[in-house]
Amino acid sequence: MDKKPCNSQEEVEVRKGPWTMEEDLILINYIANHGEGVWNSLARSAGLKRTGKSCRLRWLNYLRPDVRRGNITAEEQLLIMELHAKWGNRWSKIAKHLPGRTDNEIKNYWRTRIQKHIKQAEAFAGPNPDHGLDQASTSQMSGCYPTGTHAVESYSPPIHPNMEMLFHQGPFPTAPTVSNDNMWSMEDLWSMQLLNGE
DNA sequence: AACGGCAGCAACCGCCTTTCG
DNA sequence: ACGAAAGGCGGTTGCTGCCGT
């Protein structure tokens, strides 16, 4: 599509889309041996036809050994909502308070689960044209909360009262149906890396 | 059993900020 | 002090699998 007519010999084609197992292994191996560095040159040196950004994202969101995926606990849910009430869509900031969780995962979680339930709560409370949740982006949603100046100690319901009601009804899966069944586990990858690398 | 719609997740895109020369 | 490059972040999109009809 927007592929340039390759007029430079440095112009190697850039791969996009899902990462392959081989690419993952290359990246893991390279970082294990050389550590993280300048991502653009890392991608080149490792022989990956990916942008530095893509490598970084893959590493941070998926390949890091300390990354935890799936099974967001009820405690984590509450924390996410609490911090979101405080900071809005500052996902990376929120993620820092959830060890092993990535901003991307929290963002997805918020959008797919929590936001949905907020909508339901809104609907349950009755139509209110002023709220306009549909057009409310998540950032606007943060306006529903006592954001900014309110510190956590003054933290009162981070969510609509209806949300609390939903909580008691148990709308959130305490063990979300996230499953990695269809992919190799990180343990597999890391053990492979160990076999390959050292 | 097949089809259509929906939900969830991974990855990409573009903008903003930070760092380095 | 200025400009360029890289990193970081949030928003959005596309793909895949699941569920209901």
Side-chain angles (χ1 to χ4, degrees), chain A residues 41-56:
Chain A
S41 56
L42 185 154
R44 240 176 287 127
S45 306
L48 288 164
K49 294 180 172 59
R50 296 276 183 172
T51 64
K53 277 188 173 188
S54 181
C55 293
R56 174 183 163 272

Side-chain angles (χ1 to χ4, degrees), chain A residues 17-31:
Chain A
W19 279 65
T20 65
M21 186 177 179
E22 193 183 7
E23 288 176 311
D24 282 346
L25 282 171
I26 291 172
L27 185 56
I28 289 172
N29 259 320
Y30 191 89
I31 292 177

Side-chain angles (χ1 to χ4, degrees), chain A residues 118-119 121-123 125-137 140-141 143-145 160-162:
Chain A
I118 290 177
K119 270 190 186 180
E122 289 285 344
N128 184 349
D130 288 335
H131 274 76
L133 264 179
D134 266 341
Q135 59 174 0
S137 70
Q140 288 170 312
M141 284 197 41
C144 302
Y145 304 138
H160 298 276
N162 299 324

Side-chain angles (χ1 to χ4, degrees), chain A residues 18-175:
Chain A
W19 279 65
T20 65
M21 186 177 179
E22 193 183 7
E23 288 176 311
D24 282 346
L25 282 171
I26 291 172
L27 185 56
I28 289 172
N29 259 320
Y30 191 89
I31 292 177
N33 291 326
H34 302 89
E36 297 177 36
V38 181
W39 289 105
N40 278 333
S41 56
L42 185 154
R44 240 176 287 127
S45 306
L48 288 164
K49 294 180 172 59
R50 296 276 183 172
T51 64
K53 277 188 173 188
S54 181
C55 293
R56 174 183 163 272
L57 212 61
R58 183 64 177 172
W59 175 252
L60 291 180
N61 288 336
Y62 194 89
L63 298 176
R64 265 189 325 174
D66 60 329
V67 76
R68 290 163 55 209
R69 300 173 66 246
N71 292 324
I72 289 184
T73 66
E75 278 178 11
E76 286 175 316
Q77 286 172 5
L78 280 173
L79 188 55
I80 290 170
M81 289 165 54
E82 188 175 318
L83 295 176
H84 186 271
K86 195 174 162 193
W87 293 321
N89 294 1
R90 302 289 166 215
W91 304 117
S92 60
K93 202 171 176 181
I94 293 171
K96 287 192 177 85
H97 289 72
L98 288 127
R101 301 294 182 187
T102 68
D103 54 349
N104 206 35
E105 184 178 19
I106 294 170
K107 177 172 58 182
N108 278 331
Y109 185 77
W110 179 268
R111 294 184 66 84
T112 57
R113 319 275 175 104
I114 299 179
Q115 198 175 341
K116 185 179 78 181
H117 286 290
I118 290 177
K119 270 190 186 180
Q120 284 176 357
E122 289 285 344
F124 188 81
N128 184 349
D130 288 335
H131 274 76
L133 264 179
D134 266 341
Q135 59 174 0
S137 70
T138 47
S139 56
Q140 288 170 312
M141 284 197 41
S142 64
C144 302
Y145 304 138
T147 50
T149 55
H150 287 57
V152 161
E153 63 261 22
S154 67
Y155 166 79
S156 54
I159 50 178
H160 298 276
N162 299 324
M163 280 290 291
E164 194 180 355
M165 178 184 65
L166 281 173
F167 258 132
H168 293 136
Q169 289 174 347
F172 297 106
T174 49

